[in-house]
Amino acid sequence: MSDVATPHPAPKLVGASISRVDARRKVTGQADYTADYHFARQAWAVAVKSTIAKGRIIALDTAAAEKSPGVVAVYTWKNRPKIYPPLKETSGFMVAEKLAPLGDETIHYYGQDIAFVVAETYEQAREAAGLVRPTYAAEPAVARFSEPKREAPGKIYGEKPHLEKKAPGTASVTDAWEASPARIDATYITPMIHHQPMEPHAAIAKWHTGRLTFYAPVQWMYGARNFLAAGLAVPAEDVRVISHFVGGAFGCKGSSWMFMLVIAAAARDLDRPVKFVMERENMFTSVGHRPRTSQRVQLGADAAGKLQAMRHFTESSASEAGLFVEAAGHRATGVMYGSPNIEIDHQIYKLSVSAPTFMRAPGESPGVHALETAMDELAVALKMDPVQLRLVNMTANHPMSGLPFSSRHLDECYRVAGEKFGWARRAAAPRATREGDWWVGWGMASASYAAHRSNAQARVRLLADGTAEVACASHDLGTGTYTIMTQTAADELGLPLEKVSATLGDSTLPEAPFSGGSQSAGSILPAVQMAARSVLTKLKTLAAADAKSPLAGLAADDLEAAEGGLRAKSNPSRRVAFAAIFEKSGEGALEATEKTEPAAETKDKREQPSYSPKTTAYQSYGAFFVEVHVHRLTGETRVKRVVTAMDIGQPLNLKTARSQILGGAVFGIGAALTEHSLFDENSGAWITQDLGTYHVPVNADVPEIDVTFVGPPDFKFNSVGARGIGEIGNTGISAAIGNAIYHATGVRVRELPFTTEKILGGLSHEGAA
Amino acid sequence: MESSSPPSPEIGTDRRGFIRQASGVVAVAMLPHSLRARAESAPPAPAPSASGLIPIMLRVNGQDHVCEIEARTTLLDTLRDRLHLPGTKKGCDHGTCGACTVHVDGHRVLSCLTLAAMATGAEITTIEGLAAGEKLHPVQQAFVDCDGFQCGFCTPGQIMSAVACIREGHAHADDEIREWMSGNICRCAAYPNIVDAVKAARDRSA
């Protein structure tokens, strides 16, 4: 068996700029998303939502709905179809909500499902849903952010809520902070925001002889399968989840949601397929949000800017009905800069609100925003260039654990992006540049995201006609998974891209982990490589055993796959096409399924042997440089230019990798300038429940974005050298925009989003004219 | 689109303001003239059958389709659920996202805000009807080449808008493309690549 650590043949496709292999399906309308399926005898379900946030239903009149044309069933807590809701997370699946669906008459949040109406057509189901008449005994909702008691959560992504590191002889981090010559003490607020993928959640449940086929856009095929099996009391092998295309997810399709169980149980109860497509307004009440955070950051530095003390204390909102806790300081101040004294604390408060869930760069996104804004404030206090301040605080080791980083090139990110941006020409003082009615400002910030890996399996099959198939139960959320699986398998097998097809999004395929935490590529591709190499090993054995083959008698180590065949490394003119080997041997196809287990520290030495999270820290870094224009009279802010450099190891496909960073950066532009889910602190209701009032960025909001990748492949992390890229683009950019607004106007806004009224208040204070 | 007030950056009308202004009248105002005339001159409505359904004929991608629908059924739901053309996507169902954009008599229209019964007799083009057999439309090819999408869900609407944007003459400058493509939300945010794709297709078809 060859050693994966020395890749052969040299990758040709991995790392290149390649159009997506599923592009044609996407531009012709042939890509099959969940709601595109239509089955004979299918009925439609529509949910009825609570319009209070806390209390009880004292009467629920379903008579009119039941009599409405086309209605098949109206399910409430009184006649819930048989389910056994799993209300806790296990290693096999994730849930965000700990409430049984249609559990009883109690209301815990605004938008809670109180009934499901099933009818012959969508129009009929929707009409009947409007005829369900609840009578409530409302109670005061816990809706004011200041009201609930603060409590320590059990864990923050596996860490203790309170972390502390002190230099020898230091009594407390606060003492060290107070003793620092330059100090910053500021509180930053990030609001509740929503994922809003363009594809709403959907589900189609179809039973046949006691087995369920469930179509749904999910980020974890096996998780959804295991959740449904537990909730429906059927064996996991009797549940098949299919999700060939996911129309965006950003975290909200990661946990299994309770409505999925109701749809599956209703289909079982009615003995016909049931289809459900969530209305856009319910995407604001029912599939999670990013919690609100309030983060107090205290930074202390010496006169040269060297950090002496960092304190990052966070309070984040949570749900009485939910499980998820948003991190902040743990994932920002805990990973970014060297400091002898660091203290991080996290508390939560529970509201009468629907369950939150992880959203693109959970923890890092709000945490890095606060830290990187505070660093800018510290640079101002020190009269120091913001890049220089960061450079004097670089660290080779993880700030909390002290472990060495596998590969860290954050300083290179500043240098490359800063030069492209022209940072050296920046005026030090704010309010230095105006173009007409627009103040011009330049700001920067660091980006960071942890690198994760999980167990993964993949199957590779080489066919006698010289084509190959690569498969695993992973997901393509727009992330390019189909394409990078194809590239990786093609490189290993020495085949052109068009000879390889990838299959994913089906829970009957070999197990792949949750597509979240930027872990999919780094987890599944080593398994794809191993499976491909196992297929080649079988093929080499066949070839070498054929006495008439040009390769007869050669050692397996001397054989490599290239140009659709095997050849001798020592003499490439000795070669045989795959088809010829198959023909001689009579085999129709060769197949191998392999598994990588990074948590077991790769006992299997065929896989990259050096992955070792107990002795090495794995983290990606980046830098954003941004130019904004702020209107002197209206406070309107336009992002005019973004330059970023990212240290993420090996970019697997330059085209799709760049797109991932663009997407993350624009997510950050939205968080910085417009996105704010308004939550009524009196009633506990969501106010912004459509895309006309919840403003995600549109084309006119987005300038050119210049993306460069720096740093070498990270082969200490895995055998493809890639650390994952989906989330890091959404860290740091909101701080860079805020820092640029400060540079433009002299106004420091400490609460997201940076809307006109917040900037204008400062501008008039500063004397805008 | 052209029959409604264009978003005019000169007077600072942003997209949201535009949507707010337009949404009240959008069901009629965003229809092409031919359709609007049909709607306003109120041709005799087909009589509902005993089931409450009305028979309609829709001409989609050059083919006539006859079906029976409830009068309240949108063009979007008719295309997807009755004619089984699911390429056109439902992103919001109330005219704020653009995922459902189709062409009616050559003009871009939000099919979620159009009743199917108002589109009888018109030439409807969906994403399924854009390519000439195996050969992609230049805008489709440009989206492939420029990676003008990620998840692909908004893509049919983006492409139908882009084809119209070029045809309308709203694709001269980058900022003009950004403005006239701002009725189509892409949460994956392929926006810079979409601008590149529109330019590439514009130059190819020029």
Side-chain angles (χ1 to χ4, degrees), chain A residues 256-322:
Chain A
S256 291
W257 297 101
M258 296 298 167
F259 76 83
M260 294 161 60
L261 277 186
V262 177
I263 300 306
R268 181 162 64 178
D269 187 49
L270 299 170
D271 195 23
R272 61 189 288 190
V274 174
K275 179 170 181 174
F276 171 81
V277 180
M278 193 170 281
E279 290 80 6
R280 178 57 63 182
E281 55 268 33
N282 296 334
M283 295 290 290
F284 288 85
T285 61
S286 305
V287 288
H289 59 274
R290 193 195 297 283
R292 173 187 168 90
T293 74
S294 172
Q295 305 174 55
R296 182 179 180 191
V297 181
Q298 294 168 285
L299 302 178
D302 65 19
K306 186 80 193 75
L307 287 163
Q308 301 301 308
M310 307 174 79
R311 297 181 86 237
H312 195 146
F313 277 50
T314 302
E315 291 178 356
S316 66
S317 66
S319 162
E320 290 175 333

Side-chain angles (χ1 to χ4, degrees), chain B residues 88-150:
Chain B
T88 305
K89 296 295 184 258
K90 182 184 285 192
C92 73
D93 214 14
H94 46 228
T96 57
C97 81
C100 67
T101 306
V102 299
H103 292 178
V104 176
D105 289 338
H107 301 277
R108 44 176 156 170
V109 158
L110 297 173
S111 62
C112 76
L113 294 183
T114 306
L115 294 175
M118 298 167 74
T120 56
E123 285 285 345
I124 300 163
T125 309
T126 71
I127 190 71
E128 289 96 341
L130 208 54
E134 284 299 295
K135 187 169 166 47
L136 295 179
H137 185 283
V139 172
Q140 289 173 311
Q141 188 59 51
F143 269 68
V144 172
D145 297 341
C146 300
D147 210 32
F149 46 83
Q150 292 181 37

Side-chain angles (χ1 to χ4, degrees), chain A residues 593-678:
Chain A
T593 301
E594 293 286 0
K595 178 178 186 180
T596 50
E597 293 183 274
E601 304 217 358
T602 53
K603 285 173 194 140
D604 187 337
K605 292 301 178 199
R606 290 174 302 168
E607 213 267 317
Q608 178 66 33
S610 60
Y611 180 73
S612 175
K614 283 182 185 156
T615 59
T616 307
Y618 302 98
Q619 187 88 17
S620 287
Y621 292 94
F624 277 107
F625 290 77
V626 170
E627 176 176 325
V628 302
H629 290 194
V630 183
H631 196 279
R632 72 183 183 95
L633 298 175
T634 66
E636 180 187 359
T637 300
R638 309 294 301 170
V639 177
K640 302 302 274 191
R641 211 154 57 92
V642 177
V643 177
T644 179
M646 288 285 163
D647 165 28
I648 46 84
Q650 171 73 53
L652 298 162
N653 178 338
L654 285 175
K655 191 177 271 195
T656 58
R658 174 175 170 273
S659 286
Q660 290 259 70
I661 297 299
L662 293 184
V666 175
F667 239 71
I669 291 174
L673 296 184
T674 55
E675 290 185 44
H676 185 180
S677 299
L678 292 173

Side-chain angles (χ1 to χ4, degrees), chain A residues 33 38 77 103 107 141 181 188 192 197 214 223 310 372 378 567 596 676 700 710 763:
Chain A
Y33 302 84
H38 181 98
W77 81 91
I107 300 299
Y188 306 95
M192 295 171 171
F214 195 80
M310 307 174 79
E372 289 300 298
L378 182 62
R567 69 184 182 195
T596 50
H676 185 180
V710 304
L763 271 182

Side-chain angles (χ1 to χ4, degrees), chain A residues 543-764:
Chain A
D546 177 5
K548 291 183 187 158
S549 163
L551 306 179
L554 290 177
D557 278 354
D558 190 28
L559 298 181
E560 65 181 0
E563 294 166 13
L566 289 180
R567 69 184 182 195
K569 288 187 211 168
S570 54
N571 179 3
S573 66
R574 291 177 70 178
R575 66 180 306 280
V576 185
F578 292 147
I581 303 172
F582 278 107
E583 200 180 334
K584 275 281 171 80
S585 69
E587 296 275 351
L590 288 173
E591 175 181 309
T593 301
E594 293 286 0
K595 178 178 186 180
T596 50
E597 293 183 274
E601 304 217 358
T602 53
K603 285 173 194 140
D604 187 337
K605 292 301 178 199
R606 290 174 302 168
E607 213 267 317
Q608 178 66 33
S610 60
Y611 180 73
S612 175
K614 283 182 185 156
T615 59
T616 307
Y618 302 98
Q619 187 88 17
S620 287
Y621 292 94
F624 277 107
F625 290 77
V626 170
E627 176 176 325
V628 302
H629 290 194
V630 183
H631 196 279
R632 72 183 183 95
L633 298 175
T634 66
E636 180 187 359
T637 300
R638 309 294 301 170
V639 177
K640 302 302 274 191
R641 211 154 57 92
V642 177
V643 177
T644 179
M646 288 285 163
D647 165 28
I648 46 84
Q650 171 73 53
L652 298 162
N653 178 338
L654 285 175
K655 191 177 271 195
T656 58
R658 174 175 170 273
S659 286
Q660 290 259 70
I661 297 299
L662 293 184
V666 175
F667 239 71
I669 291 174
L673 296 184
T674 55
E675 290 185 44
H676 185 180
S677 299
L678 292 173
F679 178 76
D680 182 356
E681 285 189 74
N682 291 309
S683 68
W686 293 107
I687 298 166
T688 43
Q689 275 190 249
D690 57 59
L691 296 172
T693 54
Y694 183 81
H695 295 160
V696 305
V698 298
N699 209 319
D701 296 326
V702 178
E704 281 186 35
I705 299 176
D706 183 313
V707 181
T708 308
F709 297 106
V710 304
D714 187 353
F715 289 119
K716 289 181 185 167
F717 182 60
N718 60 19
S719 54
V720 288
R723 282 198 302 266
I725 196 172
E727 335 230 354
I728 189 169
N730 188 29
T731 71
I733 179 150
S734 54
I737 291 169
N739 297 342
I741 291 171
Y742 173 80
H743 186 244
T745 63
V747 179
R748 180 70 67 182
V749 183
R750 298 189 180 87
E751 180 170 358
L752 287 176
F754 303 127
T755 40
T756 55
E757 78 283 5
K758 293 172 193 149
I759 297 167
L760 209 50
L763 271 182
S764 54

Side-chain angles (χ1 to χ4, degrees), chain A residues 374-706:
Chain A
M375 286 294 282
D376 200 66
E377 299 210 46
L378 182 62
V380 171
L382 286 160
K383 295 191 165 50
M384 216 174 149
D385 180 85
V387 173
Q388 188 57 29
L389 173 64
R390 287 164 174 85
L391 284 173
V392 302
N393 288 294
M394 289 296 95
T395 176
N397 296 323
H398 190 281
M400 298 306 289
S401 70
L403 297 176
F405 288 108
S406 60
S407 178
R408 179 175 151 126
H409 303 273
L410 178 53
D411 49 354
E412 184 74 356
C413 294
Y414 300 140
R415 191 185 64 74
V416 169
E419 278 179 14
K420 280 190 141 183
F421 186 84
W423 185 257
R425 300 195 310 273
R426 176 180 181 264
R431 292 168 73 90
T433 311
R434 214 169 87 181
E435 289 178 11
D437 284 333
W438 297 84
W439 291 107
V440 177
W442 289 5
M444 61 81 56
S446 307
S448 177
Y449 194 78
H452 307 286
R453 284 185 65 185
S454 293
N455 292 359
Q457 296 181 43
R459 184 176 71 214
V460 169
R461 192 173 150 85
L462 183 61
L463 286 83
D465 64 0
T467 63
E469 300 162 357
V470 54
C472 74
S474 193
H475 324 82
D476 198 321
L477 322 167
T479 42
T481 315
Y482 277 113
T483 308
I484 57 172
M485 281 172 67
T486 308
Q487 290 172 262
T488 304
D491 266 349
E492 291 299 323
L493 297 171
L495 288 172
L497 203 66
E498 57 274 15
K499 293 279 188 189
V500 180
S501 62
T503 310
L504 51 73
D506 186 330
S507 68
T508 59
L509 297 172
E511 182 164 5
F514 167 49
S515 281
S518 293
Q519 70 167 356
S520 273
S523 298
I524 65 172
L525 296 186
V528 169
Q529 288 183 320
M530 282 178 61
R533 285 162 200 194
S534 293
V535 166
L536 287 180
T537 299
K538 294 180 187 182
L539 199 70
K540 288 172 185 175
T541 307
L542 285 180
D546 177 5
K548 291 183 187 158
S549 163
L551 306 179
L554 290 177
D557 278 354
D558 190 28
L559 298 181
E560 65 181 0
E563 294 166 13
L566 289 180
R567 69 184 182 195
K569 288 187 211 168
S570 54
N571 179 3
S573 66
R574 291 177 70 178
R575 66 180 306 280
V576 185
F578 292 147
I581 303 172
F582 278 107
E583 200 180 334
K584 275 281 171 80
S585 69
E587 296 275 351
L590 288 173
E591 175 181 309
T593 301
E594 293 286 0
K595 178 178 186 180
T596 50
E597 293 183 274
E601 304 217 358
T602 53
K603 285 173 194 140
D604 187 337
K605 292 301 178 199
R606 290 174 302 168
E607 213 267 317
Q608 178 66 33
S610 60
Y611 180 73
S612 175
K614 283 182 185 156
T615 59
T616 307
Y618 302 98
Q619 187 88 17
S620 287
Y621 292 94
F624 277 107
F625 290 77
V626 170
E627 176 176 325
V628 302
H629 290 194
V630 183
H631 196 279
R632 72 183 183 95
L633 298 175
T634 66
E636 180 187 359
T637 300
R638 309 294 301 170
V639 177
K640 302 302 274 191
R641 211 154 57 92
V642 177
V643 177
T644 179
M646 288 285 163
D647 165 28
I648 46 84
Q650 171 73 53
L652 298 162
N653 178 338
L654 285 175
K655 191 177 271 195
T656 58
R658 174 175 170 273
S659 286
Q660 290 259 70
I661 297 299
L662 293 184
V666 175
F667 239 71
I669 291 174
L673 296 184
T674 55
E675 290 185 44
H676 185 180
S677 299
L678 292 173
F679 178 76
D680 182 356
E681 285 189 74
N682 291 309
S683 68
W686 293 107
I687 298 166
T688 43
Q689 275 190 249
D690 57 59
L691 296 172
T693 54
Y694 183 81
H695 295 160
V696 305
V698 298
N699 209 319
D701 296 326
V702 178
E704 281 186 35
I705 299 176
D706 183 313

Side-chain angles (χ1 to χ4, degrees), chain A residues 20 24 26-27 33 35-36 127 194-196 198 247-248 280 655 658-659 663 675 695-697 700 702, chain B residues 16 72-73 80 82 84 89 91 127 134 140 145 147 150-153 178 182 187-189 191 193 195:
Chain A
R20 290 166 201 264
R24 189 180 179 92
K26 285 181 173 174
V27 300
Y33 302 84
D36 299 343
E127 176 176 3
H194 275 84
H195 312 71
Q196 299 304 326
M198 293 320 296
R280 178 57 63 182
K655 191 177 271 195
R658 174 175 170 273
S659 286
E675 290 185 44
H695 295 160
V696 305
V702 178
Chain B
R16 286 104 197 186
R72 60 187 167 182
T73 309
R80 290 180 54 82
R82 271 62 166 195
H84 303 298
K89 296 295 184 258
I127 190 71
E134 284 299 295
Q140 289 173 311
D145 297 341
D147 210 32
Q150 292 181 37
C151 80
F153 194 82
R178 289 188 184 107
S182 279
R187 186 56 158 161
C188 300
Y191 297 128
N193 295 352
V195 173

